[in-house]
Every structure is written in C-alpha cells, then in structure tokens.
Amino acid sequence: MNFLNEAKSLFKVNIRDYGMYIALIVIMLTFSIMTDGLFMSSRNISNLLDSAGYIAVLAVGMTLVIVIRHIDLSVGFAAGFLGAIAAILLTQVGLPIYLTIPIILVLGVVVGLFNGVLVASIGIPSFVASLAGMLIFRGALLQVTEKTGTIIIKDDNFNAIGNGFIPSILQINGLHLLSLLVGLVGILLYIYSEISTRRSKIKYQFEVVSKGIFTLKLIMVSGIIAYITWILAGYNGFSWTVVIMLLVVVVYHFLTTKTVLGRHIYAVGSNPEAAHLSGINVKKITYIVFGSMGMLAALSGILFTARLQSATTTAGTLFELDAIAAAYVGGVSSAGGVGKVTGAIIGAIVMASLSSGMNLLGVGISYQYMIRGGVLAGAVIFDVMTRKQRG
C-alpha cells in the first residue's frame, strides 16, 4: 500500500511531466486501433520521427527561450533562410559539406545574438524584436531564391542528413544490428545516468523515491526505448535525423540539469530580479539562450533543406508556431522558470503523431488545424490549472 501511496503522490507532484507521456501513449494507442496497427508500423514511426526532427530541434531552443520569459518568432524564416544559404554554398559556391554546415551554424548564432542584443541591451520586447526578425528573414529568403525559385541540391552526403539512415553492420531476422546496438547503448547510458543522479542526491541528503518506484521507472523507460528501437530496426534503422535530434536532446539535457549555466537559466526564468541581485548576469544569460536558439534554427534549416533536397521560397513557414506549440505541449510554463528539453521532444512527437494519425485516417486539413489548436489550448489550460493548484 505504501508503494501505491508513493506512486499517487509522485504523480500529483509531477503531473505536468507525466501528463504529456500519458497523452502520447493514449494518442498512439488510439490511432493504432483506428488504423488497424498501421500507425505503429515500422515505416510510419520512422517517417513520423523524421518529420518531427526539424521541429523538435527548434522546440528545444524555444523551450529555453520561454523558460527565461521571452519568445522568438523569427526562428521559422531564419531556418528557411539559413537552409537556402546552405543550398547556395553547396550548389553555386561549391563549398564542401564539412565547411558549409559549420558556417551555417555560426551564422545561426550571429542571428540569435542579434535578437539577444535587441532584447537584453536595447530593451525591445522579445515579441516585437523577433517579429521584426521574422519579416526580415522572410524577405531575405525571397531575395536569395527569387531568381532561381527552388534550389535543387544534388550533394548526396548533405541530402543523407534528412533522408539517410545509419549503416547496418548486419541484419538479424530483418532487424538492423547497429540500430539495436545504439538502442542498447542508450538504455545503458540512461540507467547509468539515473543511478549516478540518485547516488549523488543520497550523498547530499536530498529526498529520493523508494527503490521500488525507482526500479519501476527504470524498467518502464528502458522498455519504451527498447520497443522504439525494435520498431525502427525493423525498417531501415535509425535515421541521421533521429540521431541528430537525440544528440541535441542529450547535450541540452546535460547543460540544463548538470551545469551552472543551466541553473542560472532557470533562476533567471523563475525571477529575473532575484537572479540579478544574487549576482547572475541576466543579460549574458539572455545572449546565450538567444544565440543557442539561432544555432538550433540553423540546424533545423539544414535538416529541413536536406529532407526536401532543395531550398524553397516557402521554407520555414509556421515553423515557429509548431515549435512554440511543441514546447507548450511538452510542459514548458508560460510563467517562465519551468520546462525540460526532453519535454520539448515529446511535445514535438505528440504534434507529429496527431498529424500522422489524422493523415492516415483521411481527416481534412481544416479539421487537423482545429484539432491541433485545441490540443495546444488544452496544454496551456492544463499548465494554468496546475499552477493554480500549487499556488
């Protein structure tokens, strides 16, 4: 009975975190039943994750921007514009991929820092500053693509970023061995990280969950990772898009949970004035977060351009709204100071799952927009209600 009571207590305290996972499971089960299992097929899950990749990367950066109580509306067309610049460097300038990608990522940081300066140094509200950026990059994208229209990219290595898969060493019963090994390594790293975090908390006399709950959590998460790995290994294995998305999550999860910088970001989001008084350089944190957002917008642009194998005049349209929606569905708080990068990825997958499932069922695009809008409104209402209960 103590086990059940502890589980109920944990669920109530962490309902924001657990709610989105439950929502994702419900969505997947519902669509799987309604499509006679087609939704959970290896091909569909692989395509779903690939289509979520460029939005998930943006959502990670957007989560941190919202955590520090700002917003960035320019990331969509910034991604489209930087993707077009990558296409021009590859096709017209003739730069190799190993030079093109670093240049685009650095340009992304510069773009992000420009927004950071407008917000932190000049004092322009982030909504207005990023809205101006959105219009500027929309115009810049049209400018660089107006002569040729669509810029076709024929670099196979670049296109593989959006469409390729990691090589398979060997196939066992139709399953890609390397993908299975990657999943196994992921499970082992997850277990090691959780155990080391628990030991550290015990060492410094922080409260931890019981061994039973802790073990159950390890088993459930490991099982989910193993199941997704098995599904993907049954098709073409892990795509490079998914690998890049996972690397972004691992790096940003480490930065936000294990470093001083991460603690400072959440401190600024919780109370900027108190953070300033405690010696945290709020302007510097704002620069870093917006610079990071710009870099991830550049990476998103690369992923999307590689997926299409071309740069188009409409690239980046509504990316920023999809990223904001994914961040809020993933549990970031509109009040600032609360939100996890892992939640942003789940939020992106939730939104992609809704689109994929409704497409399989033949739901009209008009209804799809309304349903996705309803889900976003529900996520924000859920956030407001949980804050009121805590307050």
Side-chain angles (χ1 to χ4, degrees), residues 98-242:
Y98 59 82
L99 286 178
T100 299
I101 290 176
I103 288 170
I104 296 301
L105 293 178
V106 170
L107 281 175
V109 173
V110 172
V111 164
L113 286 174
F114 176 71
N115 279 334
V117 168
L118 290 178
V119 173
S121 296
I122 301 177
I124 300 174
S126 58
F127 183 89
V128 178
S130 60
L131 181 60
M134 181 176 78
L135 296 173
I136 290 167
F137 291 121
R138 173 67 172 137
L141 173 61
L142 292 174
Q143 179 65 34
V144 298
T145 57
E146 68 178 355
K147 290 180 181 177
T148 56
T150 300
I151 304 171
I152 305 296
I153 301 170
K154 295 181 179 178
D155 189 311
D156 291 336
N157 291 325
F158 181 82
N159 291 337
I161 296 172
N163 299 283
F165 298 84
I166 65 174
S168 177
I169 302 170
L170 189 68
Q171 287 203 10
I172 303 172
N173 295 328
L175 298 175
H176 284 234
L177 179 60
L178 185 56
S179 294
L180 293 174
L181 291 174
V182 168
L184 178 60
V185 170
I187 290 170
L188 293 175
L189 285 174
Y190 166 73
I191 292 172
Y192 172 77
S193 171
E194 288 294 314
I195 291 173
S196 63
T197 301
R198 180 181 171 85
R199 283 177 178 169
S200 179
K201 285 183 176 179
I202 291 171
K203 180 181 176 183
Y204 293 105
Q205 298 181 339
F206 284 106
E207 187 179 349
V208 294
V209 297
S210 66
K211 283 186 178 180
I213 292 287
F214 180 71
T215 304
L216 180 64
K217 179 186 174 185
L218 289 183
I219 292 170
M220 287 182 67
V221 174
S222 298
I224 291 168
I225 296 171
Y227 182 62
I228 292 172
T229 301
W230 179 72
I231 288 177
L232 294 178
Y235 181 51
N236 283 323
F238 282 99
S239 67
W240 286 114
T241 297
V242 171

Side-chain angles (χ1 to χ4, degrees), residues 193-375:
S193 171
E194 288 294 314
I195 291 173
S196 63
T197 301
R198 180 181 171 85
R199 283 177 178 169
S200 179
K201 285 183 176 179
I202 291 171
K203 180 181 176 183
Y204 293 105
Q205 298 181 339
F206 284 106
E207 187 179 349
V208 294
V209 297
S210 66
K211 283 186 178 180
I213 292 287
F214 180 71
T215 304
L216 180 64
K217 179 186 174 185
L218 289 183
I219 292 170
M220 287 182 67
V221 174
S222 298
I224 291 168
I225 296 171
Y227 182 62
I228 292 172
T229 301
W230 179 72
I231 288 177
L232 294 178
Y235 181 51
N236 283 323
F238 282 99
S239 67
W240 286 114
T241 297
V242 171
V243 170
I244 291 167
M245 181 173 70
L246 292 175
L247 284 173
V248 168
V249 175
V250 169
V251 170
Y252 274 80
H253 179 68
F254 176 80
L255 287 173
T256 53
T257 60
K258 306 290 184 182
T259 66
V260 173
L261 173 62
R263 288 195 289 273
H264 284 181
I265 288 171
Y266 284 95
V268 169
S270 297
N271 193 324
E273 291 79 15
H276 175 71
L277 292 173
S278 65
I280 296 172
N281 190 330
V282 177
K283 281 188 179 181
K284 180 183 174 183
I285 295 298
T286 306
Y287 294 150
I288 290 171
V289 170
F290 273 96
S292 159
M293 181 72 261
M295 183 189 71
L296 291 175
L299 180 57
S300 175
I302 289 169
L303 288 172
F304 184 73
T305 305
R307 183 168 170 79
L308 289 186
Q309 301 182 25
S310 61
T312 66
T313 55
T314 57
T317 305
L318 297 181
F319 281 16
E320 67 285 344
L321 300 186
D322 286 337
I324 292 167
Y328 275 114
V329 171
V332 73
S333 173
S334 53
V338 175
K340 295 180 179 178
V341 294
T342 48
I345 297 295
I346 299 299
I349 294 173
V350 165
M351 299 306 281
S353 296
L354 283 171
S355 296
S356 175
M358 288 188 288
N359 284 333
L360 288 175
L361 292 171
V363 177
I365 193 70
S366 56
Y367 290 109
Q368 287 193 31
Y369 277 118
M370 287 188 276
I371 291 168
R372 288 167 66 193
V375 170

Side-chain angles (χ1 to χ4, degrees), residues 38-110:
L38 182 60
F39 180 83
M40 290 301 291
S41 66
S42 296
R43 181 189 290 270
N44 190 60
I45 293 297
S46 180
N47 290 336
L48 188 156
L49 292 175
D50 283 351
S51 66
Y54 59 92
I55 294 300
V57 167
L58 277 180
V60 168
M62 190 64 72
T63 293
L64 296 186
V65 172
I66 296 172
V67 161
I68 63 166
R69 303 186 181 191
H70 290 297
I71 201 73
D72 192 342
L73 299 177
S74 69
V75 295
F77 285 120
F81 170 69
L82 291 167
I85 296 296
I88 289 168
L89 292 178
L90 287 166
T91 58
Q92 297 174 20
V93 180
L95 282 183
I97 184 174
Y98 59 82
L99 286 178
T100 299
I101 290 176
I103 288 170
I104 296 301
L105 293 178
V106 170
L107 281 175
V109 173
V110 172

